Amino acid sequence: MLNQIIVISDGQSNVGPEPSGIAELALNKNVKVNTIGIIDSGRNKDSILELENIAEKGGGLCELTSLDNLSETLSRVTINSVYSSIEEVVSNELKELMDLDLYEISPNDRNKIINMIDKIGNEVTLKCLILLDTSGSMKNKIAVARKSVLELLIFLKERKGENHIGFMTFPGKTGHYQLLCDFTTDIDELKEEIENIDIGGTTPTGHALEGAIKVFFKEEEEYSINQYII
């Protein structure tokens, strides 16, 4: 199973912990953090740098996109991150077994391995939590952002592997973040929950990443507690 977080934002965090440090904690728990920055003519260099740092520390990908191209970018980042993770594992195995890099082996053998990576990428189980910035600056972008998330869900249905997708907004109605939908394979359930988005407030990206980590490992914590109860 591949664990992924995708942060979609148009601005810089302005409250809470420094987000790239939290992204590094996520990576240490084998959850990669990817970022998508929605940019416009008045792009903020600091916000772009922050999103790049989050992805770097989180071991993921960062892409910048216009609002019009958000849907395509979201799908591309999700799939590319899956294949990147698998390629990294395969490359490490090759290095350990043969002391070779993937691109140091013969073209014929390399093509076989790349085909294997493609097959695994299509069949591996994906667990992905989407974090959508719903601060005040997203007011005129939220309809397109919502549509892009829904199109990603449709796109992922074409994969052979299971897709467990969750959806979180930041900030939330009563706090720094809100989990609108826990991990589910039911696309219709996600569609219904994604309609319930409130806009306004600050941009607590670090807090949202902390919340995302808790969501990923909630089941493990509950299991640990139940062991003592039983």
Side-chain angles (χ1 to χ4, degrees):
M1 178 181 291
L2 294 180
N3 297 324
Q4 310 257 344
I5 293 171
I6 300 178
V7 178
I8 305 172
S9 178
D10 71 338
Q12 187 176 9
S13 175
N14 51 26
V15 64
E18 204 281 311
S20 65
I22 309 301
E24 189 171 16
L25 291 177
L27 180 61
N28 289 338
K29 292 178 173 289
N30 294 317
V31 181
K32 288 198 171 186
V33 183
N34 307 290
T35 58
I36 296 176
I38 304 173
I39 60 174
D40 50 35
S41 56
R43 68 174 64 181
N44 184 324
K45 291 183 179 179
D46 289 337
S47 63
I48 292 172
L49 182 60
E50 180 179 84
L51 290 169
E52 291 174 342
N53 287 339
I54 291 171
E56 180 182 357
K57 293 292 187 180
L61 306 174
C62 174
E63 282 214 31
L64 306 177
T65 181
S66 66
L67 188 61
D68 291 341
N69 293 323
L70 177 59
S71 178
E72 178 186 343
T73 303
L74 182 54
S75 297
R76 184 172 62 250
V77 166
T78 304
I79 295 303
N80 285 352
S81 184
V82 168
Y83 288 111
S84 175
S85 297
I86 296 169
E87 183 175 327
E88 182 181 332
V89 172
V90 172
S91 294
N92 289 339
E93 288 293 323
L94 281 173
K95 196 71 175 176
E96 185 173 330
L97 294 173
M98 303 171 62
D99 196 27
L100 288 173
D101 184 82
L102 176 60
Y103 295 95
E104 292 176 340
I105 63 177
S106 69
N108 187 49
D109 288 339
R110 183 166 65 244
N111 287 336
K112 290 179 182 178
I113 292 174
I114 290 174
N115 288 335
M116 178 188 68
I117 290 172
D118 289 342
K119 185 175 186 294
I120 295 173
N122 188 44
E123 296 177 354
V124 71
T125 298
L126 173 64
K127 194 171 184 180
C128 179
L129 185 58
I130 299 170
L131 274 59
L132 179 62
D133 178 359
T134 52
S135 60
S137 62
M138 286 287 291
K139 182 177 181 180
N140 297 324
K141 305 168 187 171
I142 203 65
V144 175
R146 182 191 290 115
K147 181 173 179 287
S148 298
V149 173
L150 292 175
E151 288 176 351
L152 170 66
L153 302 180
I154 295 170
F155 174 76
L156 289 176
K157 287 180 71 174
E158 301 300 318
R159 297 181 67 250
K160 289 184 179 179
E162 284 190 358
N163 302 300
H164 299 263
I165 311 297
F167 186 71
M168 176 183 287
T169 60
F170 64 100
K173 287 183 179 179
T174 58
H176 294 304
Y177 57 86
Q178 181 177 5
L179 182 65
L180 287 183
C181 188
D182 207 339
F183 292 112
T184 180
T185 58
D186 188 341
I187 301 300
D188 291 330
E189 179 185 355
L190 270 164
K191 285 181 179 178
E192 184 176 338
E193 295 299 335
I194 289 175
E195 294 301 320
N196 303 316
I197 296 177
D198 292 321
I199 305 298
T202 56
T203 310
T205 312
H207 283 308
L209 286 169
E210 287 179 330
I213 293 172
K214 291 178 182 178
V215 172
F216 265 98
F217 297 98
K218 179 178 61 178
E219 292 180 2
E220 291 184 13
E221 291 175 1
E222 290 176 348
Y223 175 74
S224 178
I225 292 172
N226 288 337
Q227 281 185 309
Y228 291 103
I229 293 175
I230 294 170

